[in-house]
Amino acid sequence: MSANVKSYAAVDLGASSGRVMVGRVGPDSLELTEAHRFPNRPVRVPEGLRWDILGLYRGVLDGLRAAGRVDSVGIDSWAVDYGLLDADGALLGNPVHYRDTRTEGVAEKVWATVPAEELYAATGLQYAPFNTLYQLTAARSSDQLAHARRLLLIPDLLSYWLTGEQGTELTNASTTQLIDPRTREWSYDIASRLGIDLSLFAPLRRPGDAAGVLRPDVLEETGLSGPVPVTAVGSHDTASAVAAVPAGGERFAYICTGTWSLAGLELDAPVLTEESRAANFTNELGLDGTVRYLRNIMGLWLLQECVRAWGDPDLGALLLDAAKVPALRSVVDAGDAAFLAPGRMPERIAEACRVLGQPVPGSPAEITRCILDSLALAHRRAVEDAQRLAGHPVDVVYVVGGGTRNALLCQLTADACGLPVVAGPTEAAALGNVLVQARAHGLVGDLAGMRGLLVRTQPLTRYEPRGDTARWREAQARLAVG
Protein backbone atom coordinates (compact mmCIF):
# COMPACT_ATOMS: atom_id res chain seq x y z
CA MET A 1 0.00 0.00 0.00
CA SER A 2 1.26 3.48 -0.88
CA ALA A 3 2.61 5.50 2.06
CA ASN A 4 0.06 8.23 1.39
CA VAL A 5 -2.88 5.79 1.48
CA LYS A 6 -4.14 4.81 4.91
CA SER A 7 -6.73 2.29 6.10
CA TYR A 8 -9.53 3.02 8.55
CA ALA A 9 -11.97 0.59 10.15
CA ALA A 10 -15.51 1.92 10.34
CA VAL A 11 -17.72 0.06 12.79
CA ASP A 12 -21.23 0.90 11.59
CA LEU A 13 -24.10 -0.51 13.63
CA GLY A 14 -27.65 -0.31 12.33
CA ALA A 15 -30.88 -1.38 13.95
CA SER A 16 -30.95 -4.68 12.05
CA SER A 17 -27.30 -5.42 11.25
CA GLY A 18 -23.77 -4.36 12.02
CA ARG A 19 -20.73 -4.22 9.80
CA VAL A 20 -17.06 -3.44 9.93
CA MET A 21 -15.98 -1.65 6.77
CA VAL A 22 -12.44 -0.78 5.74
CA GLY A 23 -11.88 2.52 4.02
CA ARG A 24 -8.64 3.14 2.13
CA VAL A 25 -8.08 6.85 1.71
CA GLY A 26 -5.52 8.72 -0.33
CA PRO A 27 -5.28 12.32 -1.57
CA ASP A 28 -7.61 11.52 -4.49
CA SER A 29 -8.84 8.02 -3.73
CA LEU A 30 -11.50 6.51 -1.49
CA GLU A 31 -12.31 2.82 -1.52
CA LEU A 32 -14.63 1.02 0.87
CA THR A 33 -14.78 -2.73 1.36
CA GLU A 34 -16.77 -4.87 3.75
CA ALA A 35 -14.65 -6.85 6.20
CA HIS A 36 -17.46 -8.43 8.21
CA ARG A 37 -21.23 -8.17 8.51
CA PHE A 38 -23.27 -9.58 11.35
CA PRO A 39 -26.92 -9.54 12.43
CA ASN A 40 -28.28 -7.26 15.13
CA ARG A 41 -31.15 -9.19 16.64
CA PRO A 42 -32.80 -7.76 19.74
CA VAL A 43 -34.02 -10.23 22.32
CA ARG A 44 -37.33 -10.20 24.15
CA VAL A 45 -36.91 -11.26 27.77
CA PRO A 46 -39.50 -11.21 30.59
CA GLU A 47 -38.62 -7.63 31.50
CA GLY A 48 -38.86 -6.31 27.93
CA LEU A 49 -36.98 -5.82 24.65
CA ARG A 50 -33.19 -5.69 24.95
CA TRP A 51 -30.17 -5.32 22.68
CA ASP A 52 -27.74 -8.24 22.50
CA ILE A 53 -24.81 -5.94 23.22
CA LEU A 54 -22.34 -8.79 23.83
CA GLY A 55 -23.23 -10.29 20.46
CA LEU A 56 -22.61 -6.91 18.84
CA TYR A 57 -19.25 -6.55 20.59
CA ARG A 58 -18.33 -10.04 19.41
CA GLY A 59 -19.20 -8.94 15.87
CA VAL A 60 -16.98 -5.86 16.26
CA LEU A 61 -14.02 -7.94 17.43
CA ASP A 62 -14.51 -10.45 14.60
CA GLY A 63 -14.74 -7.56 12.16
CA LEU A 64 -11.52 -5.96 13.36
CA ARG A 65 -9.77 -9.32 13.00
CA ALA A 66 -11.10 -9.60 9.44
CA ALA A 67 -10.13 -6.00 8.66
CA GLY A 68 -6.42 -6.58 9.16
CA ARG A 69 -3.98 -3.74 9.71
CA VAL A 70 -5.70 -0.39 10.12
CA ASP A 71 -4.51 3.08 11.09
CA SER A 72 -7.55 3.90 13.23
CA VAL A 73 -10.99 2.66 14.31
CA GLY A 74 -14.23 4.67 14.50
CA ILE A 75 -17.68 3.60 15.72
CA ASP A 76 -21.14 4.86 14.80
CA SER A 77 -24.57 3.43 15.62
CA TRP A 78 -28.23 4.24 16.05
CA ALA A 79 -29.11 6.93 18.59
CA VAL A 80 -30.69 7.35 22.06
CA ASP A 81 -29.94 3.95 23.66
CA TYR A 82 -27.31 3.40 26.35
CA GLY A 83 -25.64 1.04 28.79
CA LEU A 84 -25.24 1.65 32.52
CA LEU A 85 -22.00 0.87 34.34
CA ASP A 86 -21.41 0.34 38.06
CA ALA A 87 -18.60 1.86 40.11
CA ASP A 88 -16.20 -0.83 38.82
CA GLY A 89 -17.06 -0.08 35.19
CA ALA A 90 -19.07 -3.29 34.76
CA LEU A 91 -22.22 -3.29 32.62
CA LEU A 92 -25.48 -3.39 34.58
CA GLY A 93 -27.66 -5.50 32.30
CA ASN A 94 -28.35 -5.46 28.58
CA PRO A 95 -29.24 -2.03 27.14
CA VAL A 96 -32.97 -1.45 26.67
CA HIS A 97 -34.17 -1.31 23.06
CA TYR A 98 -35.79 1.97 22.01
CA ARG A 99 -38.85 0.04 20.81
CA ASP A 100 -39.44 -1.29 24.34
CA THR A 101 -42.75 -0.23 25.87
CA ARG A 102 -41.32 1.30 29.04
CA THR A 103 -41.61 4.87 27.73
CA GLU A 104 -45.34 4.67 27.00
CA GLY A 105 -47.04 7.62 28.70
CA VAL A 106 -43.75 8.98 30.05
CA ALA A 107 -43.66 12.10 27.87
CA GLU A 108 -46.81 13.45 29.49
CA LYS A 109 -45.17 13.11 32.92
CA VAL A 110 -42.12 15.02 31.69
CA TRP A 111 -44.28 17.75 30.14
CA ALA A 112 -46.05 18.22 33.47
CA THR A 113 -42.71 19.47 34.82
CA VAL A 114 -41.23 21.03 31.68
CA PRO A 115 -43.92 21.86 29.09
CA ALA A 116 -43.24 20.53 25.60
CA GLU A 117 -42.84 24.08 24.28
CA GLU A 118 -40.11 24.88 26.83
CA LEU A 119 -38.37 21.57 26.24
CA TYR A 120 -38.17 22.22 22.51
CA ALA A 121 -37.02 25.82 22.93
CA ALA A 122 -34.19 24.58 25.16
CA THR A 123 -33.10 21.43 23.33
CA GLY A 124 -34.53 21.69 19.81
CA LEU A 125 -35.31 18.00 19.72
CA GLN A 126 -38.45 16.61 18.12
CA TYR A 127 -40.81 14.54 20.17
CA ALA A 128 -40.06 10.84 19.95
CA PRO A 129 -41.27 8.58 22.76
CA PHE A 130 -37.88 6.84 22.97
CA ASN A 131 -35.61 9.88 23.39
CA THR A 132 -33.01 9.23 26.10
CA LEU A 133 -34.61 11.83 28.35
CA TYR A 134 -37.84 9.81 28.42
CA GLN A 135 -35.95 6.55 28.86
CA LEU A 136 -34.15 7.94 31.90
CA THR A 137 -37.41 9.23 33.32
CA ALA A 138 -38.97 5.78 32.84
CA ALA A 139 -35.98 4.18 34.58
CA ARG A 140 -35.93 6.63 37.50
CA SER A 141 -37.02 4.11 40.17
CA SER A 142 -35.07 1.14 38.79
CA ASP A 143 -32.34 -0.60 40.76
CA GLN A 144 -30.04 -0.44 37.74
CA LEU A 145 -30.14 3.34 37.57
CA ALA A 146 -29.76 3.58 41.35
CA HIS A 147 -26.54 1.56 41.16
CA ALA A 148 -25.22 3.21 38.00
CA ARG A 149 -22.19 5.46 38.15
CA ARG A 150 -21.77 5.97 34.40
CA LEU A 151 -24.05 6.08 31.35
CA LEU A 152 -22.50 5.43 27.95
CA LEU A 153 -24.38 5.70 24.66
CA ILE A 154 -24.00 2.58 22.51
CA PRO A 155 -20.98 3.68 20.38
CA ASP A 156 -19.27 5.07 23.48
CA LEU A 157 -19.87 1.83 25.37
CA LEU A 158 -18.21 -0.22 22.64
CA SER A 159 -15.37 2.31 22.42
CA TYR A 160 -14.90 1.97 26.20
CA TRP A 161 -14.64 -1.81 25.94
CA LEU A 162 -12.05 -1.43 23.18
CA THR A 163 -9.93 1.21 24.91
CA GLY A 164 -10.81 1.47 28.61
CA GLU A 165 -11.49 5.21 28.12
CA GLN A 166 -14.88 6.86 28.55
CA GLY A 167 -16.40 9.75 26.63
CA THR A 168 -19.70 11.00 25.22
CA GLU A 169 -19.56 11.93 21.55
CA LEU A 170 -21.46 15.14 20.81
CA THR A 171 -23.52 14.28 17.70
CA ASN A 172 -25.06 11.29 19.48
CA ALA A 173 -25.39 13.19 22.76
CA SER A 174 -27.55 15.69 20.88
CA THR A 175 -30.20 12.96 20.44
CA THR A 176 -30.64 12.57 24.23
CA GLN A 177 -32.76 15.75 24.49
CA LEU A 178 -30.30 16.97 27.10
CA ILE A 179 -28.06 19.15 24.87
CA ASP A 180 -28.55 22.84 24.08
CA PRO A 181 -28.02 23.05 20.28
CA ARG A 182 -27.00 26.71 20.52
CA THR A 183 -24.15 26.20 22.99
CA ARG A 184 -23.45 22.57 21.96
CA GLU A 185 -23.14 21.76 25.68
CA TRP A 186 -25.39 20.06 28.24
CA SER A 187 -28.68 21.74 29.12
CA TYR A 188 -28.16 21.82 32.87
CA ASP A 189 -31.42 23.64 33.53
CA ILE A 190 -33.55 20.98 31.82
CA ALA A 191 -31.68 18.13 33.46
CA SER A 192 -31.97 19.73 36.90
CA ARG A 193 -35.72 20.33 36.58
CA LEU A 194 -36.26 16.71 35.58
CA GLY A 195 -33.99 15.22 38.22
CA ILE A 196 -31.49 13.80 35.72
CA ASP A 197 -27.92 13.59 37.00
CA LEU A 198 -25.65 14.75 34.17
CA SER A 199 -22.60 13.51 36.07
CA LEU A 200 -23.63 10.05 34.84
CA PHE A 201 -22.35 11.10 31.42
CA ALA A 202 -18.67 10.98 30.54
CA PRO A 203 -17.05 14.20 29.24
CA LEU A 204 -18.16 15.35 25.80
CA ARG A 205 -16.05 14.54 22.75
CA ARG A 206 -16.24 16.04 19.28
CA PRO A 207 -15.87 14.19 15.97
CA GLY A 208 -12.16 13.83 15.29
CA ASP A 209 -11.12 13.74 18.96
CA ALA A 210 -8.84 10.96 20.12
CA ALA A 211 -10.78 8.27 22.02
CA GLY A 212 -7.92 6.08 23.22
CA VAL A 213 -6.02 3.09 21.81
CA LEU A 214 -6.98 -0.57 21.58
CA ARG A 215 -6.28 -2.39 24.84
CA PRO A 216 -3.65 -5.19 24.84
CA ASP A 217 -6.29 -7.91 25.22
CA VAL A 218 -8.22 -6.46 22.26
CA LEU A 219 -5.06 -6.49 20.15
CA GLU A 220 -4.54 -10.13 21.07
CA GLU A 221 -8.18 -10.98 20.33
CA THR A 222 -8.12 -9.29 16.92
CA GLY A 223 -4.57 -10.13 15.86
CA LEU A 224 -3.76 -6.45 15.34
CA SER A 225 -0.41 -4.85 16.12
CA GLY A 226 -0.55 -1.78 18.30
CA PRO A 227 -0.81 0.97 18.88
CA VAL A 228 -4.17 1.30 17.07
CA PRO A 229 -5.97 4.54 17.93
CA VAL A 230 -9.73 4.81 18.24
CA THR A 231 -11.04 8.11 16.86
CA ALA A 232 -14.35 9.73 17.79
CA VAL A 233 -16.43 10.14 14.64
CA GLY A 234 -19.98 11.38 14.12
CA SER A 235 -21.05 8.47 16.29
CA HIS A 236 -24.73 8.91 15.55
CA ASP A 237 -24.94 7.08 12.23
CA THR A 238 -27.05 9.87 10.73
CA ALA A 239 -24.33 12.41 11.57
CA SER A 240 -21.80 10.26 9.72
CA ALA A 241 -24.23 9.73 6.83
CA VAL A 242 -24.91 13.46 6.44
CA ALA A 243 -21.15 14.11 6.47
CA ALA A 244 -21.04 11.81 3.43
CA VAL A 245 -23.74 13.65 1.44
CA PRO A 246 -21.91 14.44 -1.84
CA ALA A 247 -23.20 18.01 -2.07
CA GLY A 248 -21.34 20.86 -3.69
CA GLY A 249 -23.17 23.87 -2.23
CA GLU A 250 -25.66 24.83 0.44
CA ARG A 251 -28.98 24.63 -1.44
CA PHE A 252 -29.63 20.94 -0.88
CA ALA A 253 -31.85 18.68 1.15
CA TYR A 254 -30.88 15.17 2.19
CA ILE A 255 -32.71 11.97 3.00
CA CYS A 256 -30.79 9.33 4.91
CA THR A 257 -32.64 6.12 4.12
CA GLY A 258 -32.67 2.79 5.86
CA THR A 259 -34.78 1.44 8.69
CA TRP A 260 -35.65 5.12 9.21
CA SER A 261 -35.83 7.97 6.72
CA LEU A 262 -34.26 11.15 8.10
CA ALA A 263 -35.19 14.02 5.81
CA GLY A 264 -34.07 17.61 6.16
CA LEU A 265 -31.41 20.29 5.78
CA GLU A 266 -27.91 21.09 6.97
CA LEU A 267 -27.98 24.48 8.74
CA ASP A 268 -25.59 26.77 10.59
CA ALA A 269 -28.00 27.37 13.49
CA PRO A 270 -30.98 25.57 15.04
CA VAL A 271 -34.60 26.47 14.32
CA LEU A 272 -36.32 26.61 17.71
CA THR A 273 -39.67 28.19 16.83
CA GLU A 274 -43.00 26.91 18.07
CA GLU A 275 -44.00 26.29 14.44
CA SER A 276 -40.95 24.07 14.03
CA ARG A 277 -41.88 22.10 17.15
CA ALA A 278 -45.44 21.65 15.94
CA ALA A 279 -44.08 20.27 12.67
CA ASN A 280 -41.94 17.82 14.69
CA PHE A 281 -38.56 18.81 13.29
CA THR A 282 -35.44 18.08 15.26
CA ASN A 283 -32.18 19.98 15.62
CA GLU A 284 -29.40 17.44 16.02
CA LEU A 285 -25.74 18.36 15.88
CA GLY A 286 -23.45 17.56 12.97
CA LEU A 287 -19.84 18.12 12.00
CA ASP A 288 -18.09 21.48 12.17
CA GLY A 289 -20.81 23.42 13.98
CA THR A 290 -23.59 22.31 11.64
CA VAL A 291 -27.13 21.42 12.66
CA ARG A 292 -29.04 18.48 11.18
CA TYR A 293 -32.50 19.95 10.87
CA LEU A 294 -34.68 16.98 10.02
CA ARG A 295 -37.80 14.96 10.54
CA ASN A 296 -37.87 11.27 11.44
CA ILE A 297 -40.02 9.17 9.10
CA MET A 298 -40.71 5.49 9.72
CA GLY A 299 -38.65 4.53 6.66
CA LEU A 300 -38.03 1.14 5.12
CA TRP A 301 -38.89 -0.44 8.47
CA LEU A 302 -42.42 -0.64 7.08
CA LEU A 303 -41.26 -2.74 4.13
CA GLN A 304 -38.76 -4.74 6.19
CA GLU A 305 -41.50 -5.81 8.58
CA CYS A 306 -43.83 -6.75 5.72
CA VAL A 307 -41.13 -8.76 3.95
CA ARG A 308 -40.47 -10.58 7.23
CA ALA A 309 -44.19 -11.34 7.60
CA TRP A 310 -44.32 -12.66 4.01
CA GLY A 311 -41.49 -15.12 4.61
CA ASP A 312 -38.67 -13.10 2.98
CA PRO A 313 -39.65 -13.19 -0.71
CA ASP A 314 -37.23 -11.98 -3.40
CA LEU A 315 -37.11 -8.20 -2.94
CA GLY A 316 -36.13 -7.41 -6.53
CA ALA A 317 -39.12 -9.27 -7.93
CA LEU A 318 -41.40 -7.67 -5.36
CA LEU A 319 -40.27 -4.17 -6.38
CA LEU A 320 -40.78 -4.98 -10.08
CA ASP A 321 -44.33 -6.06 -9.30
CA ALA A 322 -44.90 -2.97 -7.15
CA ALA A 323 -43.84 -0.72 -10.04
CA LYS A 324 -46.76 -2.10 -12.08
CA VAL A 325 -49.34 -1.18 -9.43
CA PRO A 326 -51.21 2.12 -10.12
CA ALA A 327 -49.53 5.06 -8.38
CA LEU A 328 -50.97 6.69 -5.26
CA ARG A 329 -53.97 4.40 -5.11
CA SER A 330 -53.58 4.17 -1.34
CA VAL A 331 -51.23 6.02 1.02
CA VAL A 332 -50.65 6.07 4.77
CA ASP A 333 -48.84 8.49 7.09
CA ALA A 334 -45.31 7.07 7.13
CA GLY A 335 -44.51 9.14 10.21
CA ASP A 336 -47.33 7.69 12.30
CA ALA A 337 -46.11 6.23 15.61
CA ALA A 338 -48.76 3.54 15.17
CA PHE A 339 -46.26 1.76 12.91
CA LEU A 340 -43.40 1.90 15.44
CA ALA A 341 -43.86 -1.52 17.05
CA PRO A 342 -42.96 -4.74 15.21
CA GLY A 343 -45.48 -7.35 14.08
CA ARG A 344 -48.47 -7.70 11.72
CA MET A 345 -47.33 -4.82 9.52
CA PRO A 346 -49.24 -5.81 6.34
CA GLU A 347 -52.50 -6.01 8.29
CA ARG A 348 -51.84 -2.71 10.07
CA ILE A 349 -51.13 -0.90 6.79
CA ALA A 350 -54.27 -2.37 5.23
CA GLU A 351 -56.31 -1.29 8.24
CA ALA A 352 -54.89 2.26 8.07
CA CYS A 353 -56.01 2.46 4.42
CA ARG A 354 -59.45 1.18 5.38
CA VAL A 355 -59.81 3.81 8.12
CA LEU A 356 -58.82 6.53 5.63
CA GLY A 357 -61.53 5.35 3.22
CA GLN A 358 -59.03 4.34 0.54
CA PRO A 359 -58.80 1.13 -1.50
CA VAL A 360 -57.38 -1.57 0.77
CA PRO A 361 -54.16 -3.09 -0.64
CA GLY A 362 -54.23 -6.87 -0.51
CA SER A 363 -51.31 -8.43 -2.40
CA PRO A 364 -47.67 -7.99 -1.38
CA ALA A 365 -47.11 -5.88 -4.53
CA GLU A 366 -50.02 -3.57 -3.65
CA ILE A 367 -48.88 -3.17 -0.05
CA THR A 368 -45.30 -2.55 -1.19
CA ARG A 369 -46.47 0.14 -3.62
CA CYS A 370 -48.54 1.73 -0.84
CA ILE A 371 -45.45 1.83 1.39
CA LEU A 372 -43.16 3.33 -1.27
CA ASP A 373 -45.72 5.94 -2.36
CA SER A 374 -46.27 6.81 1.30
CA LEU A 375 -42.54 7.17 1.96
CA ALA A 376 -42.09 9.39 -1.11
CA LEU A 377 -45.04 11.49 0.05
CA ALA A 378 -43.51 11.81 3.54
CA HIS A 379 -40.17 12.78 1.96
CA ARG A 380 -41.94 15.48 -0.08
CA ARG A 381 -43.68 16.88 2.95
CA ALA A 382 -40.50 16.93 5.05
CA VAL A 383 -38.43 18.64 2.35
CA GLU A 384 -41.15 21.25 1.75
CA ASP A 385 -41.72 21.90 5.45
CA ALA A 386 -38.00 22.17 6.22
CA GLN A 387 -37.46 24.78 3.51
CA ARG A 388 -40.41 26.84 4.76
CA LEU A 389 -39.57 26.63 8.47
CA ALA A 390 -35.87 27.34 8.02
CA GLY A 391 -36.21 29.87 5.19
CA HIS A 392 -33.69 27.78 3.28
CA PRO A 393 -34.65 26.91 -0.34
CA VAL A 394 -33.12 23.90 -2.09
CA ASP A 395 -32.50 22.88 -5.69
CA VAL A 396 -31.68 19.19 -5.28
CA VAL A 397 -32.34 16.29 -2.91
CA TYR A 398 -29.57 13.85 -2.01
CA VAL A 399 -30.60 10.35 -1.01
CA VAL A 400 -27.95 8.35 0.85
CA GLY A 401 -27.96 5.02 2.66
CA GLY A 402 -29.61 1.69 1.98
CA GLY A 403 -32.61 3.18 0.19
CA THR A 404 -30.36 4.18 -2.72
CA ARG A 405 -30.61 0.54 -3.85
CA ASN A 406 -34.37 1.00 -4.26
CA ALA A 407 -34.61 2.75 -7.63
CA LEU A 408 -38.40 2.90 -7.46
CA LEU A 409 -38.31 4.77 -4.15
CA CYS A 410 -35.68 7.20 -5.47
CA GLN A 411 -37.71 7.94 -8.61
CA LEU A 412 -40.93 8.36 -6.63
CA THR A 413 -39.13 10.76 -4.27
CA ALA A 414 -37.99 12.87 -7.24
CA ASP A 415 -41.53 12.84 -8.63
CA ALA A 416 -43.07 13.76 -5.28
CA CYS A 417 -40.61 16.56 -4.49
CA GLY A 418 -40.55 17.92 -8.02
CA LEU A 419 -36.76 18.12 -7.68
CA PRO A 420 -33.81 16.12 -9.01
CA VAL A 421 -32.70 13.33 -6.70
CA VAL A 422 -29.04 12.29 -6.57
CA ALA A 423 -28.75 8.83 -5.02
CA GLY A 424 -25.58 7.59 -3.38
CA PRO A 425 -23.45 6.63 -1.66
CA THR A 426 -25.18 3.57 -0.25
CA GLU A 427 -22.75 3.08 2.63
CA ALA A 428 -22.90 6.75 3.59
CA ALA A 429 -22.55 6.26 7.34
CA ALA A 430 -19.44 4.10 6.95
CA LEU A 431 -17.91 6.57 4.46
CA GLY A 432 -18.60 9.53 6.76
CA ASN A 433 -17.06 7.55 9.62
CA VAL A 434 -13.94 6.81 7.54
CA LEU A 435 -13.57 10.38 6.30
CA VAL A 436 -13.72 11.89 9.80
CA GLN A 437 -10.94 9.51 10.84
CA ALA A 438 -8.92 10.41 7.74
CA ARG A 439 -9.39 14.12 8.44
CA ALA A 440 -8.31 13.68 12.05
CA HIS A 441 -5.11 12.13 10.75
CA GLY A 442 -4.47 14.92 8.23
CA LEU A 443 -5.35 13.01 5.08
CA VAL A 444 -8.34 15.10 3.90
CA GLY A 445 -9.41 18.68 4.45
CA ASP A 446 -12.60 20.33 5.63
CA LEU A 447 -16.19 19.14 5.17
CA ALA A 448 -16.29 20.54 1.63
CA GLY A 449 -13.07 18.69 0.86
CA MET A 450 -14.51 15.45 2.22
CA ARG A 451 -17.59 15.84 0.03
CA GLY A 452 -15.53 16.71 -3.02
CA LEU A 453 -13.61 13.46 -2.60
CA LEU A 454 -16.91 11.58 -2.46
CA VAL A 455 -18.13 13.21 -5.69
CA ARG A 456 -14.91 12.22 -7.46
CA THR A 457 -14.80 8.64 -6.23
CA GLN A 458 -18.31 7.30 -5.52
CA PRO A 459 -20.96 6.12 -8.01
CA LEU A 460 -23.99 8.42 -7.99
CA THR A 461 -27.32 8.09 -9.85
CA ARG A 462 -29.49 11.06 -10.81
CA TYR A 463 -33.29 10.84 -11.04
CA GLU A 464 -35.20 13.63 -12.76
CA PRO A 465 -38.79 14.35 -11.63
CA ARG A 466 -41.57 13.09 -13.90
CA GLY A 467 -44.93 14.80 -14.38
CA ASP A 468 -46.25 17.50 -12.10
CA THR A 469 -46.74 17.35 -8.35
CA ALA A 470 -50.50 17.92 -8.34
CA ARG A 471 -51.34 14.27 -7.76
CA TRP A 472 -48.96 14.21 -4.81
CA ARG A 473 -50.69 17.27 -3.35
CA GLU A 474 -54.02 15.47 -3.76
CA ALA A 475 -52.65 12.38 -1.98
CA GLN A 476 -51.37 14.54 0.86
CA ALA A 477 -54.81 16.12 1.15
CA ARG A 478 -56.32 12.64 1.58
CA LEU A 479 -54.10 12.06 4.61
CA ALA A 480 -54.94 15.48 6.03
CA VAL A 481 -58.66 14.69 5.83
CA GLY A 482 -58.10 11.33 7.47
Side-chain angles (χ1 to χ4, degrees):
M1 185 182 299
S2 171
N4 60 352
V5 175
K6 295 187 180 297
S7 293
Y8 301 100
V11 178
D12 178 29
L13 303 178
S16 58
S17 69
R19 55 215 144 262
V20 176
M21 312 290 286
V22 177
R24 293 176 176 85
V25 186
D28 210 43
S29 64
L30 173 59
E31 297 178 359
L32 191 70
T33 57
E34 182 180 299
H36 181 54
R37 185 176 292 257
F38 47 95
N40 182 6
R41 298 192 186 99
V43 181
R44 191 169 296 281
V45 292
E47 56 269 26
L49 194 60
R50 301 294 183 266
W51 293 107
D52 179 11
I53 193 67
L54 297 183
L56 290 175
Y57 186 56
R58 173 78 270 163
V60 171
L61 294 175
D62 290 345
L64 291 178
R65 174 175 286 277
R69 189 191 70 77
V70 292
D71 295 286
S72 170
V73 177
I75 306 174
D76 68 76
S77 86
W78 69 94
V80 305
D81 291 335
Y82 58 85
L84 295 171
L85 307 180
D86 66 14
D88 295 324
L91 183 66
L92 292 165
N94 286 301
V96 179
H97 194 294
Y98 63 81
R99 294 189 196 272
D100 186 77
T101 58
R102 68 172 174 168
T103 54
E104 289 181 359
V106 169
E108 289 76 12
K109 297 175 183 176
V110 167
W111 298 337
T113 301
V114 181
E117 299 85 347
E118 288 186 41
L119 195 56
Y120 189 84
T123 67
L125 219 64
Q126 68 181 353
Y127 166 66
F130 46 70
N131 289 345
T132 315
L133 180 150
Y134 301 126
Q135 293 198 41
L136 287 172
T137 301
R140 181 172 291 157
S141 60
S142 68
D143 285 343
Q144 276 191 9
L145 192 58
H147 288 92
R149 295 297 176 268
R150 178 65 80 215
L151 181 156
L152 294 177
L153 299 169
I154 296 297
D156 301 320
L157 174 61
L158 296 173
S159 179
Y160 166 61
W161 282 344
L162 291 175
T163 67
E165 296 192 20
Q166 298 177 355
T168 304
E169 192 279 318
L170 180 62
T171 68
N172 210 13
S174 74
T175 71
T176 63
Q177 208 158 12
L178 292 166
I179 290 281
D180 184 331
R182 296 159 297 193
T183 64
R184 304 175 81 86
E185 300 288 347
W186 295 112
S187 180
Y188 289 96
D189 175 62
I190 293 298
S192 174
R193 291 167 66 184
L194 294 172
I196 294 173
D197 181 7
L198 288 177
S199 70
L200 277 172
F201 289 87
L204 289 172
R205 292 171 173 156
R206 270 69 178 171
D209 285 354
V213 296
L214 296 185
R215 293 184 293 114
D217 62 300
V218 174
L219 294 173
E220 184 177 355
E221 181 84 13
T222 58
L224 296 173
S225 300
V228 178
V230 175
T231 304
V233 297
S235 73
H236 182 198
D237 53 10
T238 310
S240 280
V242 172
V245 169
E250 296 180 355
R251 290 173 61 98
F252 69 92
Y254 57 80
I255 304 170
C256 301
T257 59
T259 300
W260 293 89
S261 279
L262 299 313
L265 310 174
E266 184 175 76
L267 302 176
D268 295 328
V271 180
L272 301 176
T273 61
E274 176 60 17
E275 189 180 13
S276 178
R277 183 192 72 84
N280 214 25
F281 272 79
T282 201
N283 294 269
E284 297 171 358
L285 301 183
L287 264 65
D288 299 355
T290 59
V291 171
R292 291 176 284 125
Y293 185 63
L294 59 88
R295 175 184 285 157
N296 271 34
I297 300 161
M298 210 61 65
L300 287 168
W301 159 257
L302 300 173
L303 184 56
Q304 292 163 358
E305 277 292 285
C306 287
V307 167
R308 186 170 69 87
W310 295 325
D312 294 311
D314 179 74
L315 185 59
L318 183 60
L319 293 173
L320 286 174
D321 290 341
K324 300 170 188 173
V325 174
L328 296 169
R329 190 167 167 266
S330 304
V331 291
V332 298
D333 180 359
D336 192 337
F339 298 121
L340 183 63
R344 297 184 63 255
M345 192 63 75
E347 294 85 353
R348 288 153 65 195
I349 288 171
E351 178 59 23
C353 292
R354 185 179 295 110
V355 168
L356 288 165
Q358 301 177 109
V360 178
S363 69
E366 289 173 345
I367 292 173
T368 298
R369 184 56 187 254
C370 172
I371 289 170
L372 297 181
D373 282 347
S374 300
L375 285 177
L377 191 62
H379 293 164
R380 165 192 164 86
R381 185 179 174 195
V383 169
E384 281 194 339
D385 288 350
Q387 293 178 81
R388 174 175 52 82
L389 293 165
H392 187 98
V394 305
D395 303 318
V396 61
V397 178
Y398 288 89
V399 174
V400 300
T404 60
R405 298 189 185 98
N406 192 322
L408 179 55
L409 177 59
C410 293
Q411 183 62 62
L412 291 173
T413 297
D415 298 346
C417 293
L419 291 168
V421 162
V422 177
T426 301
E427 294 285 0
L431 284 166
N433 180 322
V434 162
L435 286 170
V436 170
Q437 294 183 69
R439 186 173 76 166
H441 296 91
L443 214 55
V444 295
D446 58 9
L447 186 55
M450 290 165 54
R451 288 173 168 161
L453 183 59
L454 288 161
V455 171
R456 295 193 300 275
T457 60
Q458 302 305 301
L460 306 173
T461 304
R462 186 178 178 95
Y463 298 84
E464 295 294 340
R466 304 171 304 189
D468 64 42
T469 58
R471 59 185 183 146
W472 294 92
R473 286 196 300 273
E474 183 276 328
Q476 181 60 52
R478 270 188 269 154
L479 289 184
V481 170

